[in-house]
Every structure is written in structure tokens, then in C-alpha cells.
Amino acid sequence: MSEDDHMGESKDSSGVHMVERRGKAKPRNWLSVLFGYASRCRGKMAASFLFSVASVACGFVPFWCVYKVLQLFMDAGFVPTAEAITFWLAIAALAYMGSKVLFGVSTILSHISAYSILASLRHDFIDKLMRASLGTSSAKSVGSVKNVFIDRIEGVEVPLAHMIPELSGSVLLAAGIAVWLFVIDWRIALSCLVTVPVGLLVFASGLATYNKMYAAYMEQSNYVNSVIVEYIEGIEVVKAFNQTSGSYAKYADAVRDFKEFTLGWFKSTWVTMNLTFAILPTTLLGVLPCGLWLFMAGEIAPATLALAIILALAIVAPLMKLSAFLNEAKSMEFAVTDAEEFLSLPELPEVCEDASISSTGIAFCDVRFGYGDDEVIHGISFDVPQGSFCALVGPSGSGKSTLARLLARHWDTDSGDIRIGGVSVKDMPLEQLSSLVSYVAQDNYLFDCTLRENIRMGKPDATDEEVEAAAAAASCDEFIARLTLGLDTPAGAAGRALSGGEKQRISIARAMLKGAPVIVLDEATAFTDPDNEDKIQQSINELARGKTLLVIAHRLSTVSGADNIVVLQDGQVQSQGSHEELLSDSPLYRSMRAAHTGAFEWSQKRRDTEGVTEEKEGCHA
Ligand code: ADP
């Protein structure tokens, strides 16, 4: 598929070159989509097809050779010489081997192409996830995205790697044998093919409800996948509430329903499928009586009769393969359609050329936004001058995280604008925006590699010394020293040993290494111990040195030093100013501050009490 399929180019009013990536207006037929994929490896696919044709052509030769040997025995009326027999048998053996070698080359080429295409499709999927708004991609469940990335993509492998060599070979072979039978005698040919329409009719009757059933099967399969992924992701909660896989009703129901559905479907089709596969191979039922009758009537030679019988047997294998492919066509169609649907998700409009920004100050200008139809941000405006520290505070659900995500352009505003250095984030390429803004999220995701590699993600070409310096600046030293492998500890193993605050410090080190001039930090919600809190504060101070910093503060203790604190309530700016100004002017800020201080003291007291209890228990042990 060419890039042009995805993009339309236009110029906006200011003449900036825009590339608007958009979804397809009209869904394309799945076969044309499939051939579109195949065109990514056009040369190899064409060669695979040609080798397949050559293999089929060679496959006819042994039949011809057997016919010639039979002719030698039956028609000449004398015992043929060993040389003559050996000659034809040698040609048959060579042709047979040649046909297998050519078929092997054809499948090697088709598999190389198929897996290259699958790899490029997987890259396209990730590219799509990067370019679609989070709203578009997160509307899909993890289970269904996993289905597309893994199962559906594997489903595309079958048509790409097998359909071209095997299906084209089977069609050509079946057609070639049928033509040959007609050349021998049209009556034999018809008698050979008489059972084929019967078999196909039975097959078609089995397929009558196939489309509907397959759609239901895919729905059930997607659902059970999603439930399984959800169960595994939520295993901590499941265990906490003692919900085993048997007693967790949603999981147990989904697994049972899926089993019942698939078994029911199998039972409803097994008669027609078995009948089809019983009738299709019975070509001899027609050829034998018809051929013998023609032979008795003296219309065909004995060798010709023998050849007709051999060909009638030979047509069975390609016919069976053909029907097996027809049976699988629906799953191929779903695989291709699902992959295409994902690749056609709408993308955020993007400009091509880097914008020239005058500073790294941020301006929120009358921003309005809703995740669906309900607006959650109602005309918010405030500035974060270059190099300043701005804190967003407000009750839960007031819109703090949403504003941060809009700045990082995980979504686009519905109206109004967010500007960096005077340029709207919509008027700069996503890559430029990403190099300008470091977004340190609340749930600090560590990838399944070492802590060192996790930090290095901020700057892939960073040296070990740079990574270590960033880790030290983010106050990671002391807890990394506790790990036997230090920075080279795999994140999976380390993750279990790290607190939320420590994980956030790893993310801060990653952001430091990236060195973006604008930092957006979604603070961890949980209270941490004072030591950890101090360390986080130190690392934030290091991270923010000389940068424009926007902090979503869930814990008010960290914002007293902010240049400007914006208090949000119900998606609107309730007030803004310094800590002292807000303490005197904003009742909401005052009450939040009081609630926070009370909760913090309560949390500390409780921690101290628990510490004592643990100590006591330790003594008893
Ligand atoms: P805060 O960070 O202040 O707690 P949020 O920005 O997370 O608030 O949420 C603002 C509002 O948007 C809330 O009403 C919340 O329920 C809603 N919201 C947040 N994220 C989503 C989402 N992904 N889809 C739909 N609604 C959301």
C-alpha cells in the first residue's frame, strides 16, 4: 500500500503544508486489500506464482510417463524393453522431483514475502497507534488490540504464504487435469466431474449460515480474549477478593459461553462437512463405469482407460485443497478486514514542517474539550511563561490530567488552542512536539528490559555515563544500590521491588535524559513517606532546572514553591496565583490545603503505628 493511500495533502490558510491522514471513505473488498498487501513484495510474490505454475506443469509429466509405459505394454502387443521402461520412469522421477523442488522454492518465496509483509503491517499498526488520538485507540479494549496485532495478523499469513503457491497451484492442476480428461474423451471428463457439483452443493448448504456464524464466532472470540486479558491484568484485585477463575463470574461465563458456542457450531456443520469431504473424492464412481463401457465398445485404448483412471484419482487432491481454502476464506476475510479497519483509524491531522517557536512558554487559550459528547473542559485560559513552574490543583475530576494530555496532544481540543512559543500544538509535527514536551505520567510504565534501557529510552544514543548521571540526578542511586544487578536489573524483577515513588524517579531520569524544554508531570497520587517525597521533590527540581514546568499536583505539599498555581473546578479555572495569594483569596484552595494537611498527618500517624506493630511482631517472631 502506498503512502498516498493514507494521506491527502493540503495547505492551510497560512500556506503551511498539511498532511491529513484519514480513514478510507469506503471499505475496500478484502481481496483487493490482500493484493494491496502482497504488492509490498510484488517481485517475490510474482516469482512465487511462476515457480508454482512451473511446479504444476512438471506435475503433469509423471502422468504422461505412466501413460507411455502403459502404452508400451498394452498397445504394442509385446513386452517392452527395460531401457524403454527405465527411460519413461526416469523422466517421471525427474519431473516429480523437479515439481517438488519448484513448489518448495515457490513456498519459500511466498513465506519470505508473507513474513516481510506481516512485519511491515505490524510497523504500520504501531505507527497508527502513535498517530491516532488516544481517544480513538483507547476506545478499543486491550484484548481486541491484541487480537488485531497478533491473531489477525497471523491470519493474514495463511492467504499470503499459502494461497498464492498452493491455491493457484491447486486451481491450475485441477483445471489442467479436467482439460486433459476432455482431450481424452468428453464423456469420461463429464463422468469424472459428475460428483463434484453434488459435493459442492452439499458444501454450499453447509455454508448457508457460515457468514453469520463466523461473525458471531469472531465476536465471541474477541470477547473471551478481552475478558482473559482483563482477568490477567487485574489478577491482583482478583486475588485480593479471592475470585478464582472458577468463581469470577465474568471470566467463567465467557469461557463457558465460548466453549458452548464453538461446540454448537461444530455439531451443526460436521454432517455437511463430512459429506462434502466424502463425496468430492469419489471421481472414480463415474470414471470407472463410463471408461469401461467406452473400452468395451472399443472407443478407447486400454492405456487411455488407465490414464483416465489415474487422472481421475489425481484430481482429488487439488479439489480437496480448494475446498479447504474455501472453508478458510471467511477467516482470511476477517483477518484482512480487521487489519484494514485498524489501519484505517482516523489520525490526528499533522503538518510536515517543523514550526519555528519563539519561546518554550505555554498558553492555554479558551480550551474546550469533551471525551465524548459531554464537555469536561469549559473554556480554560492561562499562561505558563518560559522557565516558570506552574501547578494545576483541584478536586479529583476537575480536569487537571485532561489539560496535560491535551498539551501532549494525546487528544485535540474541540475548540480554543494550546500554544508553545506562540505556535499551536496542532501546527507542529508530532515529532517536534514530542521533542519539546516530556510527559511524565502517573502510572510510570517500565518496559520489559533493564532499568538502564528504560532510562535510555529518553535518549536512545545516550552513553552509559549519561544514563548513570541522569539516574543519580533523579535520586535513583540509593534504591538502585539495593539491587544486586544495579541499573542492569530487569525492570520486571526490579518493578516488584520498587515503590510507586521509586518508579516515578526512574521516569523522571528518563525525562531528564530526553532534555525536553517543557516538562509535564502528573504527580503520583499516593502519599509516600517523607524521605521518598523529599527525594521525588529533589529529582523534580533537578528535572525542572531552567525548564518550563507544568505539574498536576495531587498532593498540595509539593506546590508551595510554584510561580503560579491554577485552581481548577469542574473544568474551569476557579482562581490562580501564588500559594500565599490563594491562601488568602481562594476558599477552595484553603479547604483543599486543610484537607491535605489533615490527611497527610493522619497517614503519617498511621504509618508510625503500623511501623511499631510490625516491629512488635518482628520481636515476637
Ligand atoms: P483530574 O485529573 O482532575 O482528576 P481528569 O482530567 O482525569 O480529572 O478528568 C476530568 C473529567 O473527564 C472527569 O469527569 C473524568 O471522569 C473525565 N474523564 C477523564 N478521562 C476520561 C476518559 N478517558 N474518557 C472519558 N471521560 C474521561
Side-chain angles (χ1 to χ4, degrees), residues 138 371-372 376-377 394-403 405 411 522 552 554 568:
S138 61
Y371 286 99
V376 294
I377 301 291
S396 177
S398 55
K400 305 180 291 292
S401 303
T402 304
L403 275 186
R405 290 186 203 131
W411 279 268
D522 202 340
I552 299 145
H554 299 280
L568 295 181

Side-chain angles (χ1 to χ4, degrees), residues 374-392:
D374 293 334
E375 195 177 89
V376 294
I377 301 291
H378 314 287
I380 285 185
S381 301
F382 65 92
D383 289 338
V384 188
Q386 171 164 337
S388 69
F389 168 16
C390 174
L392 285 178

Side-chain angles (χ1 to χ4, degrees), residues 509-560:
R510 192 190 279 165
M512 271 179 188
L513 206 53
K514 182 174 164 184
V518 176
I519 311 286
V520 181
L521 180 84
D522 202 340
E523 236 181 32
T525 38
F527 288 111
T528 59
D529 57 83
D531 183 42
N532 214 345
E533 183 144 341
D534 277 354
K535 292 271 165 48
I536 293 179
Q537 201 48 53
Q538 270 172 30
S539 55
I540 293 173
N541 293 344
E542 277 300 316
L543 172 68
R545 208 178 288 278
K547 310 274 169 67
T548 308
L549 177 65
L550 182 67
V551 173
I552 299 145
H554 299 280
R555 292 166 296 138
L556 294 196
S557 47
T558 51
V559 302
S560 325

Side-chain angles (χ1 to χ4, degrees), residues 32 85 93 165 231 294 343 374 380 392 466 468 478 515 535:
S32 74
I85 296 173
Y231 188 81
L294 288 172
L343 288 174
D374 293 334
I380 285 185
L392 285 178
E466 285 177 294
E468 282 153 24
E478 142 274 322
K535 292 271 165 48

Side-chain angles (χ1 to χ4, degrees), residues 206-227:
L207 286 185
T209 56
Y210 191 80
N211 283 359
K212 217 171 79 195
M213 293 301 281
Y214 201 88
Y217 168 81
M218 293 311 294
E219 206 174 296
Q220 292 259 0
S221 152
N222 280 344
Y223 178 68
V224 81
N225 262 326
S226 305
V227 173

Side-chain angles (χ1 to χ4, degrees), residues 464-478:
D464 277 354
E465 289 70 33
E466 285 177 294
V467 173
E468 282 153 24
S475 309
C476 301
D477 281 10
E478 142 274 322

